[in-house]
Amino acid sequence: MKKTFTIVNTVLLIGVITYLFNNHDSKNQEIFEEVKAERLSIVGPDGHLYISISNPDQQAVATMGGKPIHESDKRDLPGIIFFNRIGDEVGGIYYDGTDAESYAGITFDQQKNDQIMAIMKDEYKDGDEWKRWYGMFFRERSDSIAQVDVFKNFYKETKNMSDKEKEKRYKEMRKFLDEELNVYRMFLGREETENVGLFLYDSKGRECIKLYVDKNDQPRLEIIDPRGFKNNLIEQFNPEQKNTQ
């Protein structure tokens, strides 16, 4: 009886292996009409996360070396987040919005830092009027001090501060970031003012050159010196003015 049972098990095992072998290629090529998931994680053989495609609630947190940058970090943002092979988040794609706002973007991070290049769109309602800006921007970031470290120190320093003290410290931190570590260098696109053009900034984030067409269809080229003085190098153009030359 025992021998018969063993033979039956062996035959069944061989049958299962044969079935799996014969159907291996067809299974890999199977096409699904629809796959529903709250989050799809693309991982390596060792489980290392490379790409996260997720809804807002399940989105992967930003990591550095495979560890969360902030202990309580949680993203309320649907999209695709990319990670490199050493566990650093390196950029992503996001789209979201409500009846009062709409935003989207594609971002590229500097090594061991935050985004230095991005294509973004932001729209929001201000009363009954929609405000919007969109375009491509470049930033300059420090190689010696990472923005994530500045934020870590901020959370640590302000943990036991009052709201007023935190607000003051946050403004100081933002000023430091915007002037030293997180400096705008170029924007190509449409500003909230409805100016459309190319805007260049110096190493301190100060406007230097603005080449744009304003909301009244007037072309402008402005050179701004470090003191903030502007020189408009294009005279105002009136299409109705006759050429008398």
Side-chain angles (χ1 to χ4, degrees):
M1 182 69 179
K2 184 176 180 180
K3 184 177 181 181
T4 302
F5 182 74
T6 302
I7 293 173
V8 171
N9 281 345
T10 302
V11 172
L12 288 174
L13 179 60
I14 292 173
V16 171
I17 292 173
T18 302
Y19 172 80
L20 292 175
F21 178 79
N22 290 334
N23 288 273
H24 177 72
D25 291 338
S26 63
K27 285 293 183 183
N28 285 343
Q29 297 177 11
E30 189 171 355
I31 298 175
F32 298 94
E33 291 185 1
E34 182 179 8
V35 176
K36 288 186 177 181
E38 293 190 6
R39 173 172 161 178
L40 176 63
S41 298
I42 306 301
V43 300
D46 60 352
H48 175 78
L49 180 63
Y50 285 96
I51 304 173
S52 172
I53 306 174
S54 174
N55 66 19
D57 294 332
Q58 300 297 328
Q59 188 55 269
V61 300
T63 59
M64 189 72 68
K67 297 180 180 179
I69 294 174
H70 306 306
E71 294 180 2
S72 59
D73 195 6
K74 186 180 185 301
R75 290 182 164 174
D76 183 23
L77 194 66
I80 306 174
I81 307 297
F82 298 93
F83 301 82
N84 63 19
R85 63 185 66 235
I86 58 175
D88 297 346
E89 186 222 319
V90 292
I93 303 172
Y94 63 90
Y95 293 86
D96 202 5
T98 65
D99 289 335
E101 61 180 344
S102 175
Y103 46 90
I106 303 174
T107 65
F108 304 85
D109 289 356
Q110 179 173 302
Q111 175 74 352
K112 298 294 182 183
N113 216 314
D114 210 343
Q115 58 195 230
I116 54 173
M117 175 180 170
I119 301 172
M120 288 185 172
K121 180 208 77 165
D122 190 10
E123 301 177 80
Y124 64 94
K125 215 164 188 181
D126 183 13
D128 294 328
E129 183 183 3
W130 277 94
K131 300 286 188 179
R132 56 178 58 91
W133 67 266
Y134 43 83
M136 175 185 290
F137 72 77
F138 297 156
R139 294 179 185 269
E140 193 76 33
R141 295 186 185 274
S142 170
D143 284 322
S144 59
I145 304 175
Q147 179 169 300
V148 293
D149 293 329
V150 176
F151 272 100
K152 282 182 179 179
N153 291 334
F154 169 77
Y155 291 130
K156 186 177 179 180
E157 291 175 7
T158 61
K159 187 176 181 180
N160 298 317
M161 287 185 179
S162 66
D163 291 341
K164 188 175 181 179
E165 290 174 325
K166 283 183 180 180
E167 184 179 356
K168 180 182 177 182
R169 182 68 187 91
Y170 180 78
K171 288 180 179 179
E172 293 173 350
M173 179 192 70
R174 287 304 324 176
K175 187 174 186 297
F176 172 69
L177 289 174
D178 293 340
E179 293 181 357
E180 303 294 336
L181 302 185
N182 178 21
V183 183
Y184 259 107
R185 296 308 305 267
M186 190 202 85
F187 178 72
L188 176 64
R190 179 192 189 275
E191 296 184 314
E192 286 185 5
T193 57
E194 300 183 36
N195 296 334
V196 179
L198 174 66
F199 308 88
L200 301 176
Y201 305 79
D202 67 12
S203 61
K204 296 295 183 182
R206 296 172 298 202
E207 289 182 324
C208 288
I209 301 175
K210 300 171 66 175
L211 174 62
Y212 65 96
V213 176
D214 66 20
K215 65 180 180 180
N216 297 316
D217 290 334
Q218 296 298 323
R220 298 184 181 277
L221 171 58
E222 296 179 3
I223 306 297
I224 302 100
D225 69 19
R227 296 169 296 175
F229 295 127
K230 297 181 181 181
N231 295 311
N232 185 15
L233 302 184
I234 297 181
E235 292 183 2
Q236 192 171 30
F237 173 69
N238 185 352
E240 297 180 355
Q241 184 178 359
K242 294 182 178 180
N243 189 346
T244 58
Q245 294 182 353

